[in-house]
Amino acid sequence: MTAQSNGTEANNGTVAATDHIRIFDTTLRDGEQSPGASMTFEEKMQVAALLDEMGVDIIEAGFPIASTGDFESVQEIARRSKNSVIAGLSRAAFKDIDRCAEAVKPAARPRIHTFISTSPIHMKYKLQMEPEAVLQHVSDSVARARNWVDDVEWSAEDGTRTEFEFLCRCVEAAIKAGATTINIPDTVGYTTPGEYRDLFKRVRETVPNADQAIFSVHCHDDLGMAVANSLAGVEGGARQIECTINGLGERAGNAALEEIVMAIRTRNDVLPYSCSVDPKYMMRASKLVSAVSNFPVQYNKAIVGKNAFAHESGIHQDGMLKNAETYEIMKPEDVGVKATSLVMGKHSGRHAFREKLIELGFELGDNAFADAFRRFKDLADRKKNVYDEDIEALVEDEISTQGEMSKVIALTVIAGTGGPQKAIITMDVDGQHITKEANGDGPVDATFRAIRTVLPHEAKLALYQVNAVTEGTDAQAEVSVRLQENGRIATGKGADTDTLVASARAYVSALNKLAQRQKQTVPDALKAG
């Protein structure tokens, strides 16, 4: 990997417009660490393929030492990648680094990303190590990684709370040992744009061998400044931005890739940089990650939110009709947003449905397409108008439940003021049809209790959320359910015109994910119950 190009400095201190910013996507690593956001092997393959296609420079595919599943997914992504650098994360331990090297080995362009904490609070309480020992680990871990690959990234965990002199010593040691990229992350979302900009400027001016590496930003959104901080770090000399689709990530999340890319594209007058990501993939990527992670995108989310290009105010609508630029600084089609249409209905055929899916940014395999088409036909029989949003919800539900061992077949609920509320459910559990019933305090409670009789568990319901996909009394309901059990968290999502059916699907989806994480099959759970 070539050394960092800091660009040509103009008289006013700005960076030349030709400066390229590398986009490092960590949706599959840091994003997946969000509570309840774990993805299956096939889901990771789908996300990685799309990231590779849309022009992401570096894909951090996972943390190979964390589990066999993580190792296998990183290795397979490395095999399949066509364009992107494939990185794996490792701690500053030789076992971690060696495992990571084995995982990324099949990639045409492999990277090992190793890290260690450098802040006083992390060294004292997390590592329980003295600064000099940490410094030695920096040199040893980078040298070990460099024995395996030419492209090594080193990160100073909690870098923004690290003492400046010690940070500079660590950066210098990492570069001397062979690191080609230096990441100074705002691990806990603590810094501000001015501080972060100055930090990179000072480190690059202070460390004697700083010109031999590319500097990288990695910001969390605990104070809502992840994107602003990332761009400020670039102004300070960083040339790699680490981010995730939809801002997915631990706690309040990471800097959102779509916001970073569109900020550079839209305000190139004050952010004179370039990047390789094709923005037309934004909406498609957002929908896919939302579907596989079961994390809904808030309506007012920048760039990819449902309301990002919606206008209700009369004044705004009037301005839009006269000239769209009065209230839109970006064109919807630039990020893959298309106008809602009503052309799909019960008479639509397979070819038209497949074309509509492509238009909406979905590409399904034959089996998934057949299931989605069947559900579309069922939906069209029940709804007068089938909106694009209806199809999106239906397909996202299909994607999120692919490969699950338990599925809802039928549900009957008896409810009313007189009571009792009763639910009768039929489920397919690993190929076996099971019917159970239960009473509850309301129809939702009865439904979830009936599911519990089929799939015994001790999980606690942490979230139950219902949203209407479109307007009208025949609108589909999109339900999110989050369950917690033995320290594990899983989120499931379901969609149907019947809110209770959607609720049952979401609940079962979350249970399937919990079972996968516990490394036990659903039949085993049944036997245990």
Side-chain angles (χ1 to χ4, degrees):
M1 191 170 187
T2 58
Q4 177 174 0
S5 170
N6 292 325
T8 303
E9 301 293 336
N11 292 333
N12 61 2
T14 59
V15 184
T18 55
D19 270 12
H20 181 75
I21 304 302
R22 292 160 176 80
I23 300 299
F24 177 113
D25 183 277
T26 183
T27 302
L28 295 171
R29 200 279 299 170
D30 204 338
E32 204 207 9
Q33 291 178 197
S34 299
S38 293
M39 306 171 198
T40 66
F41 178 86
E42 284 304 323
E43 289 169 347
K44 290 180 181 180
M45 296 305 112
Q46 291 180 57
V47 173
L50 184 53
L51 294 174
D52 193 50
E53 184 180 354
M54 68 192 285
V56 167
D57 297 281
I58 304 102
I59 299 172
E60 188 165 54
F63 197 173
I65 197 71
S67 68
T68 300
D70 231 32
F71 173 86
E72 291 174 348
S73 62
V74 173
Q75 191 174 60
E76 187 59 26
I77 290 169
R79 287 196 188 99
R80 297 186 188 187
S81 63
K82 298 177 181 177
N83 306 303
S84 304
V85 171
I86 303 302
L89 184 71
S90 73
R91 294 167 296 190
F94 287 178
K95 183 178 179 181
D96 277 41
I97 294 167
D98 295 348
R99 184 69 165 164
C100 185
E102 186 180 356
V104 300
K105 184 178 179 179
R109 301 164 65 198
R111 173 182 291 191
I112 294 176
H113 179 193
T114 184
F115 72 96
I116 193 170
S117 297
T118 55
S119 68
I121 191 169
H122 274 225
M123 288 190 292
K124 180 177 180 180
Y125 294 104
K126 178 183 173 182
L127 300 180
Q128 297 182 341
M129 292 172 62
E130 294 298 321
E132 292 305 315
V134 169
L135 186 63
Q136 187 62 49
H137 270 65
V138 172
S139 297
D140 293 346
S141 60
V142 172
R144 181 78 167 201
R146 191 60 192 262
N147 284 337
W148 289 107
V149 296
D150 292 332
D151 188 356
V152 176
E153 177 172 343
W154 176 77
S155 287
E157 186 179 13
D158 204 20
T160 55
R161 295 194 296 174
T162 298
E163 294 175 343
F164 182 75
E165 182 182 351
F166 183 66
L167 177 63
C168 289
R169 291 178 65 198
C170 288
V171 170
E172 182 178 359
I175 297 173
K176 185 176 181 180
T180 50
T181 301
I182 297 294
N183 179 35
I184 306 177
D186 185 27
T187 304
V188 293
Y190 177 75
T191 197
T192 63
E195 291 175 332
Y196 206 46
R197 180 189 302 108
D198 291 345
L199 176 62
F200 278 91
K201 188 174 184 295
R202 290 177 63 204
V203 169
R204 290 174 56 240
E205 290 173 347
T206 304
V207 175
N209 53 2
D211 61 337
Q212 298 176 28
I214 292 165
F215 279 75
S216 178
V217 299
H218 179 119
C219 299
H220 282 262
D221 208 33
D222 297 72
L223 294 176
M225 293 186 283
V227 170
N229 285 336
S230 297
L231 295 172
V234 168
E235 291 177 339
R239 290 295 175 267
Q240 175 178 289
I241 299 178
E242 306 190 4
C243 45
T244 63
I245 301 295
N246 296 337
L248 192 67
E250 291 190 273
R251 303 184 313 280
N254 291 292
L257 180 148
E258 59 276 4
E259 295 177 27
I260 294 288
V261 171
M262 292 312 294
I264 292 173
R265 179 185 174 91
T266 305
R267 293 307 313 275
N268 206 238
D269 55 330
V270 293
L271 298 169
Y273 317 111
S274 65
C275 72
S276 301
V277 174
D278 187 341
K280 291 182 180 178
Y281 287 83
M282 295 298 185
M283 187 58 68
R284 180 177 162 191
S286 173
K287 291 174 183 175
L288 176 60
V289 170
S290 176
V292 301
S293 66
N294 285 305
F295 269 52
V297 177
Q298 66 191 64
Y299 282 11
N300 62 336
K301 167 75 172 65
I303 315 300
V304 293
K306 182 178 179 180
N307 290 348
F309 296 96
H311 307 272
E312 185 169 335
S313 162
I315 296 174
H316 286 212
Q317 290 174 344
D318 179 65
M320 285 293 298
L321 290 171
K322 293 173 179 174
N323 188 323
E325 291 185 10
T326 55
Y327 286 102
E328 285 187 351
I329 61 173
M330 297 168 283
K331 294 179 180 178
E333 55 268 28
D334 287 347
V335 297
V337 175
K338 296 186 180 293
T340 298
S341 61
L342 300 174
V343 298
M344 299 301 294
K346 64 181 180 181
H347 299 298
S348 300
R350 288 176 176 269
H351 183 260
F353 184 64
R354 189 179 290 279
E355 289 300 311
K356 172 58 72 173
L357 293 184
I358 293 173
E359 177 187 322
L360 295 174
F362 295 106
E363 293 183 14
L364 303 181
D366 291 341
N367 292 337
F369 174 80
D371 289 341
F373 183 70
R374 174 185 54 78
R375 290 187 60 187
F376 160 69
K377 283 291 193 177
D378 291 343
L379 179 64
D381 283 335
R382 287 181 282 165
K383 286 201 67 178
K384 181 178 179 180
N385 295 320
V386 179
Y387 295 83
D388 286 0
E389 290 94 337
D390 288 313
I391 297 173
E392 290 170 0
L394 181 152
V395 175
E396 288 170 0
D397 184 42
E398 193 67 40
I399 291 173
S400 67
T401 58
Q402 281 183 32
E404 292 188 343
M405 301 181 70
S406 301
K407 295 184 178 180
V408 176
I409 302 298
L411 175 67
T412 300
V413 179
I414 302 170
T417 57
Q421 286 76 39
K422 182 178 182 179
I424 305 168
I425 194 164
T426 300
M427 294 181 58
D428 183 322
V429 180
D430 200 25
Q432 178 185 2
H433 282 204
I434 301 173
T435 300
K436 296 285 186 178
E437 62 180 62
N439 294 330
D441 185 14
V444 174
D445 184 51
T447 299
F448 289 176
R449 286 177 181 270
I451 293 171
R452 188 187 290 266
T453 63
V454 179
L455 302 173
H457 63 274
E458 300 299 325
K460 304 294 184 182
L461 181 63
L463 171 72
Y464 174 72
Q465 182 174 300
V466 181
N467 291 308
V469 175
T470 58
E471 298 177 352
T473 57
D474 63 349
Q476 279 196 102
E478 195 170 60
V479 178
S480 295
V481 167
R482 183 176 298 167
L483 300 178
Q484 293 180 327
E485 184 177 26
N486 297 328
R488 297 181 178 88
I489 301 175
T491 304
K493 191 162 66 174
D496 197 89
T497 51
D498 188 317
T499 304
L500 294 174
V501 173
S503 301
R505 285 178 175 157
Y507 195 84
V508 171
S509 177
L511 284 175
N512 275 310
K513 289 179 171 61
L514 276 179
Q516 290 172 2
R517 282 165 212 167
Q518 292 168 345
K519 301 296 183 183
Q520 69 180 91
T521 63
V522 173
D524 287 337
L526 281 169
K527 293 173 186 175

